[in-house]
Amino acid sequence: MSTSKNTDALEPKRLPRHVAVIMDGNGRWAKKHGVTRLRGHEAGAKAVRAVIEACRAIGGIETLTLYAFSSENWRRSKTEVSGLFRLLSKYIRLELDNLNAEDIRVVFIGQTKGLPKRVIADLEESRELTKNNRSMQVNFAVNYGARAEIADACRAVAEEVKAGRLQTTNIDEESVARHLYDPSSRDLDLVIRTAGEMRLSNFMLWQASYAEIVVTRTLWPDFRKRHLYSALREYQARTRKFGGRRGR
Ligand code: IPE
Ligand code: IPE
Ligand code: MG
């Protein structure tokens, strides 16, 4: 199928405004190709570039969130973890000028605690350089866990109460939401998970409340523009009801 045909099939008015990807399957891809897990992660970095470019080209997608390293991924071997962080730094340094030239705003969501200093510096530099960009926002979820994010937000709410700026009786969803790692990002419309697992793996539990979930068996390093279009078409075929009776 040609790419233009793929794009034509999308309804521009019904595009998801916030898309996230749980980029899974690098290890399985490496195994399939008889290479090291780290080579699998390297191949995954190419898919990151392709998907950011595709989202930018479609237009209408305001925010793309990419799950790069979970708060549970520390359970992997030291070699894999340090390899992943080296790769992340390399990716940011290689891509930052491109992202900036594309008017893309780069945001980091996750805990900095525990991250290598180099990674923190690279993420900080990319945020600073691109903060006024307007075409699209890309959130990199690094050392990210949804439970930790919600617990951190609760702590911030408690601090507001302690400081006398908020009454406990006035605590509502908005009080928590404004302390999430990126309060400016809207709720998720679409979560894409590659490599076939039917789970969220501690990803954006708050923001994904009413997200549509599309799981593809395609391994992340093989994921390209056409797979993105296919996920977007599946999203557009869904009926979103938000607990009501009518589709939206
Ligand atoms: C996703 O690929 C990358 C990270 C979680 C960092 P995996 O490394 O989880 O790949 P599989 O699940 O072993 O195939
Ligand atoms: C989820 O993938 C995390 C990222 C893609 C960064 P995992 O491979 O860590 O998830 P589980 O362990 O299979 O649930
Ligand atoms: Mg995995």
Side-chain angles (χ1 to χ4, degrees), residues 9 11 58 67 71 89 93 95 109 116 146 154 181 195 219 222:
E11 283 177 56
I58 292 168
Y67 201 8
S71 48
S89 277
R93 271 175 273 145
E95 294 293 322
I109 55 170
C154 290
Y181 295 145
L219 304 173
D222 293 327

Side-chain angles (χ1 to χ4, degrees), residues 190-203:
L190 170 64
V191 175
I192 301 169
R193 181 164 188 148
T194 59
E197 310 297 346
M198 302 279 185
R199 53 177 174 257
L200 284 171
S201 303
N202 201 13
F203 183 64

